[in-house]
Amino acid sequence: MTRRKDNKGHFGKRPKTSKASTDGGTSEGVLLEDVRNFLAAHSASEPSAQDVIGENVPDTTALTLSYTPPERFAEIEVKISQLSAAGDGLGISSTADHVYVVPFSLPGDIVKAKVVNYFAKDQYTLADFVRVVVPAAKRDDSLIRCPYFSRCGGCQFQMLRYEDQLSHKRTIIESAYRNFSTLTPDVVPPVGETIGSPLQYGYRTKLTPHFDGPPGSLSRKAGRNDAKRKQFDQVPPIGFNLRGTRRVIDIEDCPLGTEAVRSGLVRERRRVTEEIATFRKGATLLLRESTSRKPNRQTLYSSTEGSFDNSIGNVKASAEDYIIEKDLPSRANMETDIAANSSLSYVDEKTCITDSNATSTEFIDDFEFANPAGAFFQNNNSILPKFTAYIRNHILPSGPESRSESIRYLIDAYCGSGLFTVTLSSHFSSSLGIDISSSSIASAKENAIRNKVSNASFMTADASALFKEVKFSPEETVVVIDPPRKGCDDAFLRQLLHFGPRRVVYVSCNVHTQARDVGVLVEGLEKWRYEIESLCGFDFFPQTGHVEGVAILNRSSRISSPP
């Protein structure tokens, strides 16, 4: 078969490899581990010509043939056998030595897929989903609420029952520790069941749709001279990227957003349309929900223009502002929810902020947090009460020999605007929040005052040097770490192990880098080693392949000298 290749022998450009690509720090590295494990599982099994129907390889000769990739952009039929950590389907070639990666597919599906990029060295091909030929038993397309699903890259699992999504996310954590922790199975406890989100749609309190500039607007010449920048001759697509590309597709509504955010999307799309002649380049739009808590005697719901039908994810009309009962998912269910929550002493007024420098406010139970709207804060408010309660219940050891009363101090590394410092403060005599961002520390201090927390202090410091200023006794201290997706660097982990707090709670939005870092803490680099008490996932982003991981660790033994 004739193949179109570049000069390196494969169809598409491969991202440059780095240490991060093999330690869970990149999506490519995670996929590569999935591919390797998938191939290893199939190497001992006899391949079938029907795994990739488009290859048309007879069963009797499959074992004797080497893999020959289809033409780029050719459409093939692939039988999906497994899900990757990112939520893509994996199918094996008829020769059992190559993997097809197909988004929006489930194990048991036979799908039509279009070949996009072929990576010979890594033995996999990226393909675009075209359609389902034979559906898997667990596929239920009637669950899909978004007309952009299978095109927009935001969701992966709208066709999958929620309980099955949670089960898959548990396996993501299991595979992360198997692939990236370097630990033997006997020191990794069973992963707990994934704790689900109360809302599976209408939960995102922040969206950032965007649009590209006019053709030629990104050229160097245009960039140096505003006068030569091209103008828009029509309204560009405003939305999110087409799956696997950088091309923006027009998104009129996103059913993952809260009603305030979806209302804001309608308004911002209208504003950009009306003002498009003033733009000379693309832009990212901020849509951030903000909450104002009112006494219950206030009007429970008012709308200036209309409402949303959350059952199908379509906009009926836009709304400038509205007051909505706590946890009220849609206007259609208003009367039921008001009755169910009639004992509450307040209602929540939800508005959408589009200015990144404005202040947004969120409530977690009775805790109130204010932040710049453009700053980081968790995007699913509905799960935060469960999440913070879990951390509170596990921050101290339990059991008759736990001596939990001897832990008096909390260090909240990567503290941001003080989420853990504030919500955990009642458990400790003194708490210290540390962050590299001075603006985050300013918000954290204000949030401590707002919540009448008097036993917390905050300081700005790089996480790699934070323990130099700590005066707490390690024996009486627990450290919470919630780093960015890249995880912790070596300098921070060495400091943490040298300081040796009695207990560590590691929260992460990337369970693969979490597994890598926990492996370092368990094996030990400096002075102390740790053991894993428990592992658990939280589903902050239903319908997607993302899972938040929480690892609880106890200090176990001292190292006489560094290895």
Side-chain angles (χ1 to χ4, degrees), residues 167-193:
S167 295
H168 172 64
K169 293 184 180 188
R170 185 181 189 179
T171 68
I172 293 175
I173 301 174
E174 291 170 343
S175 64
Y177 277 81
R178 188 166 55 247
N179 294 338
F180 297 106
S181 72
T182 71
L183 300 174
T184 56
D186 58 298
V187 299
V188 179
V191 177
E193 292 186 2

PDB file of all heavy atoms in Angstrom, residues 167-193:
ATOM      1  N   SER A 167     -16.916   4.771  37.373  1.00  0.00           N
ATOM      2  CA  SER A 167     -16.115   3.540  37.423  1.00  0.00           C
ATOM      3  C   SER A 167     -14.852   3.686  36.583  1.00  0.00           C
ATOM      4  O   SER A 167     -13.761   3.263  36.992  1.00  0.00           O
ATOM      5  CB  SER A 167     -16.933   2.350  36.917  1.00  0.00           C
ATOM      6  OG  SER A 167     -18.030   2.099  37.772  1.00  0.00           O
ATOM      7  N   HIS A 168     -14.992   4.277  35.395  1.00  0.00           N
ATOM      8  CA  HIS A 168     -13.816   4.472  34.547  1.00  0.00           C
ATOM      9  C   HIS A 168     -12.802   5.388  35.214  1.00  0.00           C
ATOM     10  O   HIS A 168     -11.590   5.145  35.140  1.00  0.00           O
ATOM     11  CB  HIS A 168     -14.224   5.047  33.192  1.00  0.00           C
ATOM     12  CG  HIS A 168     -13.050   5.448  32.353  1.00  0.00           C
ATOM     13  ND1 HIS A 168     -12.120   4.547  31.892  1.00  0.00           N
ATOM     14  CD2 HIS A 168     -12.638   6.677  31.916  1.00  0.00           C
ATOM     15  CE1 HIS A 168     -11.190   5.182  31.196  1.00  0.00           C
ATOM     16  NE2 HIS A 168     -11.482   6.471  31.200  1.00  0.00           N
ATOM     17  N   LYS A 169     -13.266   6.424  35.888  1.00  0.00           N
ATOM     18  CA  LYS A 169     -12.337   7.364  36.502  1.00  0.00           C
ATOM     19  C   LYS A 169     -11.569   6.722  37.663  1.00  0.00           C
ATOM     20  O   LYS A 169     -10.436   7.121  37.958  1.00  0.00           O
ATOM     21  CB  LYS A 169     -13.082   8.631  36.927  1.00  0.00           C
ATOM     22  CG  LYS A 169     -13.590   9.386  35.701  1.00  0.00           C
ATOM     23  CD  LYS A 169     -14.249  10.704  35.988  1.00  0.00           C
ATOM     24  CE  LYS A 169     -14.706  11.328  34.665  1.00  0.00           C
ATOM     25  NZ  LYS A 169     -15.196  12.705  34.806  1.00  0.00           N
ATOM     26  N   ARG A 170     -12.164   5.741  38.267  1.00  0.00           N
ATOM     27  CA  ARG A 170     -11.425   4.963  39.274  1.00  0.00           C
ATOM     28  C   ARG A 170     -10.275   4.212  38.618  1.00  0.00           C
ATOM     29  O   ARG A 170      -9.162   4.161  39.154  1.00  0.00           O
ATOM     30  CB  ARG A 170     -12.386   3.992  39.960  1.00  0.00           C
ATOM     31  CG  ARG A 170     -11.792   3.211  41.113  1.00  0.00           C
ATOM     32  CD  ARG A 170     -12.848   2.279  41.684  1.00  0.00           C
ATOM     33  NE  ARG A 170     -12.429   1.645  42.918  1.00  0.00           N
ATOM     34  CZ  ARG A 170     -13.190   0.813  43.614  1.00  0.00           C
ATOM     35  NH1 ARG A 170     -14.420   0.528  43.187  1.00  0.00           N
ATOM     36  NH2 ARG A 170     -12.744   0.274  44.727  1.00  0.00           N
ATOM     37  N   THR A 171     -10.519   3.648  37.425  1.00  0.00           N
ATOM     38  CA  THR A 171      -9.443   2.924  36.731  1.00  0.00           C
ATOM     39  C   THR A 171      -8.352   3.869  36.251  1.00  0.00           C
ATOM     40  O   THR A 171      -7.193   3.455  36.120  1.00  0.00           O
ATOM     41  CB  THR A 171      -9.989   2.125  35.531  1.00  0.00           C
ATOM     42  OG1 THR A 171     -10.447   3.028  34.502  1.00  0.00           O
ATOM     43  CG2 THR A 171     -11.139   1.221  35.945  1.00  0.00           C
ATOM     44  N   ILE A 172      -8.700   5.135  35.975  1.00  0.00           N
ATOM     45  CA  ILE A 172      -7.675   6.113  35.591  1.00  0.00           C
ATOM     46  C   ILE A 172      -6.661   6.277  36.713  1.00  0.00           C
ATOM     47  O   ILE A 172      -5.446   6.301  36.484  1.00  0.00           O
ATOM     48  CB  ILE A 172      -8.320   7.471  35.248  1.00  0.00           C
ATOM     49  CG1 ILE A 172      -9.170   7.368  33.983  1.00  0.00           C
ATOM     50  CG2 ILE A 172      -7.243   8.548  35.063  1.00  0.00           C
ATOM     51  CD1 ILE A 172      -9.937   8.646  33.664  1.00  0.00           C
ATOM     52  N   ILE A 173      -7.153   6.390  37.947  1.00  0.00           N
ATOM     53  CA  ILE A 173      -6.246   6.538  39.093  1.00  0.00           C
ATOM     54  C   ILE A 173      -5.426   5.269  39.287  1.00  0.00           C
ATOM     55  O   ILE A 173      -4.213   5.319  39.543  1.00  0.00           O
ATOM     56  CB  ILE A 173      -7.041   6.886  40.364  1.00  0.00           C
ATOM     57  CG1 ILE A 173      -7.821   8.195  40.164  1.00  0.00           C
ATOM     58  CG2 ILE A 173      -6.113   7.003  41.578  1.00  0.00           C
ATOM     59  CD1 ILE A 173      -8.742   8.549  41.309  1.00  0.00           C
ATOM     60  N   GLU A 174      -6.065   4.122  39.150  1.00  0.00           N
ATOM     61  CA  GLU A 174      -5.346   2.859  39.298  1.00  0.00           C
ATOM     62  C   GLU A 174      -4.207   2.749  38.288  1.00  0.00           C
ATOM     63  O   GLU A 174      -3.076   2.388  38.639  1.00  0.00           O
ATOM     64  CB  GLU A 174      -6.313   1.688  39.139  1.00  0.00           C
ATOM     65  CG  GLU A 174      -7.321   1.558  40.274  1.00  0.00           C
ATOM     66  CD  GLU A 174      -8.424   0.545  39.980  1.00  0.00           C
ATOM     67  OE1 GLU A 174      -8.596   0.179  38.803  1.00  0.00           O
ATOM     68  OE2 GLU A 174      -9.112   0.139  40.940  1.00  0.00           O
ATOM     69  N   SER A 175      -4.496   3.081  37.034  1.00  0.00           N
ATOM     70  CA  SER A 175      -3.455   2.976  36.004  1.00  0.00           C
ATOM     71  C   SER A 175      -2.376   4.030  36.199  1.00  0.00           C
ATOM     72  O   SER A 175      -1.201   3.797  35.892  1.00  0.00           O
ATOM     73  CB  SER A 175      -4.066   3.079  34.606  1.00  0.00           C
ATOM     74  OG  SER A 175      -4.651   4.349  34.392  1.00  0.00           O
ATOM     75  N   ALA A 176      -2.754   5.215  36.721  1.00  0.00           N
ATOM     76  CA  ALA A 176      -1.758   6.254  36.976  1.00  0.00           C
ATOM     77  C   ALA A 176      -0.709   5.775  37.967  1.00  0.00           C
ATOM     78  O   ALA A 176       0.500   5.966  37.756  1.00  0.00           O
ATOM     79  CB  ALA A 176      -2.440   7.518  37.499  1.00  0.00           C
ATOM     80  N   TYR A 177      -1.150   5.136  39.038  1.00  0.00           N
ATOM     81  CA  TYR A 177      -0.190   4.638  40.040  1.00  0.00           C
ATOM     82  C   TYR A 177       0.576   3.422  39.524  1.00  0.00           C
ATOM     83  O   TYR A 177       1.740   3.217  39.870  1.00  0.00           O
ATOM     84  CB  TYR A 177      -0.916   4.333  41.357  1.00  0.00           C
ATOM     85  CG  TYR A 177      -1.093   5.592  42.179  1.00  0.00           C
ATOM     86  CD1 TYR A 177      -2.127   6.482  41.897  1.00  0.00           C
ATOM     87  CD2 TYR A 177      -0.201   5.932  43.182  1.00  0.00           C
ATOM     88  CE1 TYR A 177      -2.272   7.665  42.602  1.00  0.00           C
ATOM     89  CE2 TYR A 177      -0.337   7.104  43.900  1.00  0.00           C
ATOM     90  CZ  TYR A 177      -1.365   7.973  43.607  1.00  0.00           C
ATOM     91  OH  TYR A 177      -1.485   9.152  44.310  1.00  0.00           O
ATOM     92  N   ARG A 178      -0.057   2.652  38.678  1.00  0.00           N
ATOM     93  CA  ARG A 178       0.631   1.500  38.081  1.00  0.00           C
ATOM     94  C   ARG A 178       1.704   1.956  37.086  1.00  0.00           C
ATOM     95  O   ARG A 178       2.795   1.384  37.027  1.00  0.00           O
ATOM     96  CB  ARG A 178      -0.389   0.602  37.391  1.00  0.00           C
ATOM     97  CG  ARG A 178       0.148  -0.723  36.887  1.00  0.00           C
ATOM     98  CD  ARG A 178      -0.982  -1.673  36.529  1.00  0.00           C
ATOM     99  NE  ARG A 178      -1.918  -1.089  35.562  1.00  0.00           N
ATOM    100  CZ  ARG A 178      -3.178  -0.782  35.848  1.00  0.00           C
ATOM    101  NH1 ARG A 178      -3.661  -0.987  37.062  1.00  0.00           N
ATOM    102  NH2 ARG A 178      -3.974  -0.267  34.916  1.00  0.00           N
ATOM    103  N   ASN A 179       1.417   3.018  36.349  1.00  0.00           N
ATOM    104  CA  ASN A 179       2.318   3.443  35.272  1.00  0.00           C
ATOM    105  C   ASN A 179       3.373   4.451  35.696  1.00  0.00           C
ATOM    106  O   ASN A 179       4.452   4.481  35.099  1.00  0.00           O
ATOM    107  CB  ASN A 179       1.502   4.063  34.127  1.00  0.00           C
ATOM    108  CG  ASN A 179       0.605   3.055  33.439  1.00  0.00           C
ATOM    109  OD1 ASN A 179       0.840   1.852  33.501  1.00  0.00           O
ATOM    110  ND2 ASN A 179      -0.426   3.553  32.771  1.00  0.00           N
ATOM    111  N   PHE A 180       3.085   5.296  36.693  1.00  0.00           N
ATOM    112  CA  PHE A 180       3.959   6.433  36.947  1.00  0.00           C
ATOM    113  C   PHE A 180       4.519   6.532  38.359  1.00  0.00           C
ATOM    114  O   PHE A 180       5.390   7.356  38.613  1.00  0.00           O
ATOM    115  CB  PHE A 180       3.224   7.734  36.603  1.00  0.00           C
ATOM    116  CG  PHE A 180       2.856   7.844  35.157  1.00  0.00           C
ATOM    117  CD1 PHE A 180       1.540   7.677  34.750  1.00  0.00           C
ATOM    118  CD2 PHE A 180       3.818   8.082  34.195  1.00  0.00           C
ATOM    119  CE1 PHE A 180       1.197   7.757  33.412  1.00  0.00           C
ATOM    120  CE2 PHE A 180       3.486   8.162  32.850  1.00  0.00           C
ATOM    121  CZ  PHE A 180       2.176   8.001  32.451  1.00  0.00           C
ATOM    122  N   SER A 181       4.051   5.712  39.290  1.00  0.00           N
ATOM    123  CA  SER A 181       4.547   5.846  40.669  1.00  0.00           C
ATOM    124  C   SER A 181       5.848   5.086  40.905  1.00  0.00           C
ATOM    125  O   SER A 181       6.556   5.390  41.865  1.00  0.00           O
ATOM    126  CB  SER A 181       3.491   5.348  41.660  1.00  0.00           C
ATOM    127  OG  SER A 181       3.380   3.935  41.607  1.00  0.00           O
ATOM    128  N   THR A 182       6.144   4.094  40.067  1.00  0.00           N
ATOM    129  CA  THR A 182       7.276   3.155  40.221  1.00  0.00           C
ATOM    130  C   THR A 182       7.174   2.317  41.495  1.00  0.00           C
ATOM    131  O   THR A 182       8.160   1.705  41.915  1.00  0.00           O
ATOM    132  CB  THR A 182       8.648   3.878  40.195  1.00  0.00           C
ATOM    133  OG1 THR A 182       8.830   4.630  41.403  1.00  0.00           O
ATOM    134  CG2 THR A 182       8.776   4.786  38.988  1.00  0.00           C
ATOM    135  N   LEU A 183       6.002   2.296  42.120  1.00  0.00           N
ATOM    136  CA  LEU A 183       5.817   1.543  43.364  1.00  0.00           C
ATOM    137  C   LEU A 183       5.308   0.136  43.056  1.00  0.00           C
ATOM    138  O   LEU A 183       4.612  -0.098  42.072  1.00  0.00           O
ATOM    139  CB  LEU A 183       4.816   2.254  44.271  1.00  0.00           C
ATOM    140  CG  LEU A 183       5.184   3.674  44.716  1.00  0.00           C
ATOM    141  CD1 LEU A 183       4.031   4.304  45.492  1.00  0.00           C
ATOM    142  CD2 LEU A 183       6.458   3.665  45.554  1.00  0.00           C
ATOM    143  N   THR A 184       5.648  -0.802  43.933  1.00  0.00           N
ATOM    144  CA  THR A 184       5.120  -2.151  43.801  1.00  0.00           C
ATOM    145  C   THR A 184       3.672  -2.181  44.277  1.00  0.00           C
ATOM    146  O   THR A 184       3.276  -1.391  45.149  1.00  0.00           O
ATOM    147  CB  THR A 184       5.950  -3.139  44.629  1.00  0.00           C
ATOM    148  OG1 THR A 184       5.981  -2.694  46.000  1.00  0.00           O
ATOM    149  CG2 THR A 184       7.381  -3.222  44.099  1.00  0.00           C
ATOM    150  N   PRO A 185       2.846  -3.054  43.735  1.00  0.00           N
ATOM    151  CA  PRO A 185       1.411  -3.056  44.075  1.00  0.00           C
ATOM    152  C   PRO A 185       1.130  -3.213  45.565  1.00  0.00           C
ATOM    153  O   PRO A 185       0.096  -2.729  46.048  1.00  0.00           O
ATOM    154  CB  PRO A 185       0.877  -4.254  43.282  1.00  0.00           C
ATOM    155  CG  PRO A 185       1.831  -4.418  42.138  1.00  0.00           C
ATOM    156  CD  PRO A 185       3.165  -4.040  42.681  1.00  0.00           C
ATOM    157  N   ASP A 186       2.007  -3.854  46.305  1.00  0.00           N
ATOM    158  CA  ASP A 186       1.727  -4.121  47.716  1.00  0.00           C
ATOM    159  C   ASP A 186       1.749  -2.863  48.583  1.00  0.00           C
ATOM    160  O   ASP A 186       1.230  -2.875  49.709  1.00  0.00           O
ATOM    161  CB  ASP A 186       2.722  -5.142  48.273  1.00  0.00           C
ATOM    162  CG  ASP A 186       4.163  -4.681  48.138  1.00  0.00           C
ATOM    163  OD1 ASP A 186       4.605  -4.496  46.993  1.00  0.00           O
ATOM    164  OD2 ASP A 186       4.840  -4.510  49.167  1.00  0.00           O
ATOM    165  N   VAL A 187       2.333  -1.759  48.089  1.00  0.00           N
ATOM    166  CA  VAL A 187       2.366  -0.536  48.896  1.00  0.00           C
ATOM    167  C   VAL A 187       1.348   0.496  48.412  1.00  0.00           C
ATOM    168  O   VAL A 187       1.285   1.604  48.958  1.00  0.00           O
ATOM    169  CB  VAL A 187       3.781   0.095  48.914  1.00  0.00           C
ATOM    170  CG1 VAL A 187       4.785  -0.867  49.524  1.00  0.00           C
ATOM    171  CG2 VAL A 187       4.214   0.528  47.521  1.00  0.00           C
ATOM    172  N   VAL A 188       0.564   0.138  47.400  1.00  0.00           N
ATOM    173  CA  VAL A 188      -0.478   1.031  46.885  1.00  0.00           C
ATOM    174  C   VAL A 188      -1.836   0.464  47.300  1.00  0.00           C
ATOM    175  O   VAL A 188      -2.228  -0.612  46.850  1.00  0.00           O
ATOM    176  CB  VAL A 188      -0.414   1.173  45.355  1.00  0.00           C
ATOM    177  CG1 VAL A 188      -1.527   2.099  44.862  1.00  0.00           C
ATOM    178  CG2 VAL A 188       0.952   1.692  44.916  1.00  0.00           C
ATOM    179  N   PRO A 189      -2.570   1.138  48.165  1.00  0.00           N
ATOM    180  CA  PRO A 189      -3.862   0.610  48.633  1.00  0.00           C
ATOM    181  C   PRO A 189      -4.900   0.645  47.512  1.00  0.00           C
ATOM    182  O   PRO A 189      -4.738   1.369  46.516  1.00  0.00           O
ATOM    183  CB  PRO A 189      -4.251   1.565  49.765  1.00  0.00           C
ATOM    184  CG  PRO A 189      -3.572   2.850  49.417  1.00  0.00           C
ATOM    185  CD  PRO A 189      -2.274   2.458  48.758  1.00  0.00           C
ATOM    186  N   PRO A 190      -5.976  -0.120  47.649  1.00  0.00           N
ATOM    187  CA  PRO A 190      -7.050  -0.054  46.648  1.00  0.00           C
ATOM    188  C   PRO A 190      -7.603   1.362  46.540  1.00  0.00           C
ATOM    189  O   PRO A 190      -7.764   2.061  47.544  1.00  0.00           O
ATOM    190  CB  PRO A 190      -8.105  -1.022  47.204  1.00  0.00           C
ATOM    191  CG  PRO A 190      -7.355  -1.932  48.117  1.00  0.00           C
ATOM    192  CD  PRO A 190      -6.251  -1.108  48.714  1.00  0.00           C
ATOM    193  N   VAL A 191      -7.895   1.775  45.332  1.00  0.00           N
ATOM    194  CA  VAL A 191      -8.462   3.107  45.107  1.00  0.00           C
ATOM    195  C   VAL A 191      -9.942   3.085  45.477  1.00  0.00           C
ATOM    196  O   VAL A 191     -10.680   2.184  45.075  1.00  0.00           O
ATOM    197  CB  VAL A 191      -8.284   3.532  43.634  1.00  0.00           C
ATOM    198  CG1 VAL A 191      -8.936   4.892  43.382  1.00  0.00           C
ATOM    199  CG2 VAL A 191      -6.803   3.573  43.262  1.00  0.00           C
ATOM    200  N   GLY A 192     -10.369   4.066  46.255  1.00  0.00           N
ATOM    201  CA  GLY A 192     -11.766   4.134  46.649  1.00  0.00           C
ATOM    202  C   GLY A 192     -12.667   4.482  45.475  1.00  0.00           C
ATOM    203  O   GLY A 192     -12.208   4.917  44.409  1.00  0.00           O
ATOM    204  N   GLU A 193     -13.954   4.283  45.657  1.00  0.00           N
ATOM    205  CA  GLU A 193     -14.903   4.631  44.612  1.00  0.00           C
ATOM    206  C   GLU A 193     -14.876   6.137  44.349  1.00  0.00           C
ATOM    207  O   GLU A 193     -14.756   6.936  45.273  1.00  0.00           O
ATOM    208  CB  GLU A 193     -16.316   4.195  45.015  1.00  0.00           C
ATOM    209  CG  GLU A 193     -16.500   2.683  45.074  1.00  0.00           C
ATOM    210  CD  GLU A 193     -17.942   2.307  45.344  1.00  0.00           C
ATOM    211  OE1 GLU A 193     -18.781   3.231  45.438  1.00  0.00           O
ATOM    212  OE2 GLU A 193     -18.219   1.105  45.456  1.00  0.00           O
TER     213      GLU A 193
END
